[in-house]
Amino acid sequence: MRVSVAGAGLGGLALAQGLRGAGIEAEVFERDPAITARFQGYRLVLNRIGFQAVRDCLPTRWHPLLDEIVMEASAEQLILDPQLNEIGKLGAARTGIVVDRQVLRHLLLTGLTVHTDAALTGYDLLADGKVAAQFARCDPATADLLVGADGVTSAVRGVLSPQTTPTDTGVRFVIGRTPLTDEFTGLSKAFGSKIAGDGVSLLLGAMRFRAPPKQAAEQLAPEVTLPDIGDYVRWAMILPPNGSLQDVTAQDDVLSRMQGWHPELRALIEQADPDNSTLLSIRVVKPGERWACGPVTLLGDAIHATSPTGGNGANTALRDADLLRRCLIEAIEDRQDLHSAVDDYERQMFDYGAEAVRSSLEKLPAFAPEAKLS
């Protein structure tokens, strides 16, 4: 069996790793001109299902390294004012496994065949039941299965399910990161909480590695090369509805909305890496009607993009990867044919994917009361 994966995000790479471990040929096609063309190094919180899914997709020899580059964390989920006084609660305390997306992505890339600058333009269903993917600047690729793991603007979804389109919630936010130094130890109670300002919300999260990722890889898995990064604070400011940046940098725009805020909070933004501070929008994709089962399917944000306030986007994509991996292994072991395996995957994925989108939108008004949820 041969599988083509469009998109080198966490879900697509986890699937390719899982298939590689089962002896199934998998190639990844990424539209970016290079793996490092865009900064993708923000902190993620994985739940039990998401962490187990990525663990099951990786070779067992890398499990000690995976365990070393994550941290267990819990947060009270408080609501604080700009002077860091507690004024409420967001909900029950949250626990999970914290991982850096850039570090995990580099681990998942190890040993895979990845074609960059390969923007998918369409695909053809062949008479023998296979699928030929077409790319703008890459040779066509024929496979038994094409998996669209190419995000909210999925080109694969555009052909397979053109009626399924992203919904813009109207919410905009600036995200960035700042090295975690002793200067910011006083902010610890704000990690995992919401700081409510005048029309904006600031969210903070700490990334503390058990061991520096690059050193951990050198000691535990020399064939793996991980980024040389240290502990940091991930911060995100949710702007007013349809907010846009003033004619300044993302970093300066955030600071302009923090007049009179606690000095440690302002210092956190002032010391952020300006190259990794950017404006993003919150768009969701709700799974609609199923398409006819065949040699093309979707995974992750391509079919069920969630609001980040739900904390379940990466978890659901990794769950997809592990589920599809297991279904395809059953196919090569002759316990079911390929189309039945894909149908089994899609049936389960549609159910929990739709619930992930619903629950993420349910949590969004706590951070952005005027979001468009219809």
Side-chain angles (χ1 to χ4, degrees):
M1 182 187 296
R2 182 171 183 164
V3 177
S4 294
V5 180
L10 296 184
L13 294 175
L15 172 64
Q17 280 289 353
L19 297 179
R20 175 173 174 254
I24 299 174
E25 186 177 356
E27 287 186 293
V28 180
F29 298 85
E30 169 56 46
R31 62 185 166 220
D32 283 349
I35 288 298
T36 57
R38 292 181 293 122
F39 181 76
Q40 302 184 45
Y42 296 109
R43 162 191 190 273
L44 298 170
V45 180
L46 300 182
N47 59 26
R48 178 185 55 82
I49 293 174
F51 184 66
Q52 190 61 50
V54 72
R55 192 177 182 85
D56 289 346
C57 288
L58 286 170
T60 55
R61 67 181 182 278
W62 292 348
H63 288 180
L65 175 58
L66 177 64
D67 291 340
E68 197 68 12
I69 60 175
V70 301
M71 61 173 277
E72 292 187 21
S74 61
E76 292 187 71
Q77 295 204 110
L78 305 174
I79 302 175
L80 309 174
D81 69 16
Q83 299 304 321
L84 301 177
N85 301 305
E86 182 179 341
I87 57 175
K89 290 184 180 294
L90 282 171
R94 184 184 178 199
T95 60
I97 303 295
V98 182
V99 62
D100 177 79
R101 189 184 191 280
Q102 183 186 20
V103 170
L104 180 58
R105 189 167 183 246
H106 276 75
L107 176 59
L108 289 168
L109 281 162
T110 304
L112 296 181
T113 300
V114 180
H115 305 273
T116 55
D117 203 20
L120 186 137
T121 57
Y123 60 81
D124 298 312
L125 302 181
L126 307 180
D128 60 1
K130 296 186 178 183
V131 57
Q134 311 292 335
F135 304 94
R137 290 174 294 280
C138 183
D139 292 336
T142 300
D144 298 283
L145 179 67
L146 170 64
V147 180
D150 47 346
V152 174
T153 59
S154 172
V156 179
R157 187 192 64 235
V159 179
L160 179 64
S161 183
Q163 73 278 9
T164 305
T165 56
T167 297
D168 191 339
T169 65
V171 179
R172 304 290 182 266
F173 66 103
V174 178
I175 191 167
R177 56 187 268 175
T178 303
L180 180 54
T181 63
D182 292 342
E183 180 179 355
F184 301 119
T185 55
L187 296 178
S188 59
K189 76 172 182 178
F191 298 152
S193 297
K194 177 180 95 168
I195 301 159
D198 184 13
V200 299
S201 298
L202 182 66
L203 312 176
L204 307 182
M207 182 71 237
R208 298 185 182 94
F209 297 101
R210 291 175 178 165
K214 185 175 186 295
Q215 296 177 23
E218 291 170 350
Q219 295 172 4
L220 298 172
E223 71 275 22
V224 177
T225 300
L226 296 182
D228 187 12
I229 63 174
D231 298 348
Y232 64 86
V233 178
R234 187 270 301 136
W235 53 265
M237 176 171 279
I238 299 180
L239 304 179
N242 294 305
S244 59
L245 297 185
Q246 303 167 14
D247 190 23
V248 293
T249 66
Q251 188 177 6
D252 286 339
D253 186 89
V254 170
L255 285 169
S256 74
R257 302 174 191 269
M258 297 176 64
Q259 298 297 325
W261 284 41
H262 193 287
E264 284 189 35
L265 291 173
R266 288 187 57 83
L268 184 75
I269 309 304
E270 289 168 350
Q271 296 181 32
D273 180 352
D275 294 333
N276 298 323
S277 303
T278 188
L279 176 72
L280 298 174
S281 62
I282 295 182
R283 293 174 291 170
V284 299
V285 176
K286 300 179 182 179
E289 292 185 9
R290 286 274 306 275
W291 48 83
C293 189
V296 183
T297 193
L298 299 173
L299 177 156
D301 284 356
I303 184 58
H304 48 62
T306 67
S307 164
T309 51
N312 53 15
N315 286 295
T316 312
L318 293 170
R319 182 177 181 179
D320 290 351
D322 187 42
L323 173 60
L324 183 53
R325 172 190 72 89
R326 289 187 279 111
C327 289
L328 295 180
I329 289 173
E330 288 191 359
I332 65 170
E333 293 178 348
D334 294 328
R335 284 181 278 171
Q336 59 178 337
D337 60 41
L338 176 60
H339 281 196
S340 296
V342 174
D343 181 70
D344 188 22
Y345 159 72
E346 289 177 351
R347 177 175 47 79
Q348 297 181 62
M349 178 270 289
F350 261 68
D351 284 345
Y352 65 70
E355 173 57 23
V357 178
R358 186 203 64 78
S359 63
S360 76
L361 288 175
E362 187 178 65
K363 295 179 174 67
L364 184 56
F367 302 90
E370 298 182 42
K372 303 170 188 174
L373 304 185
S374 58

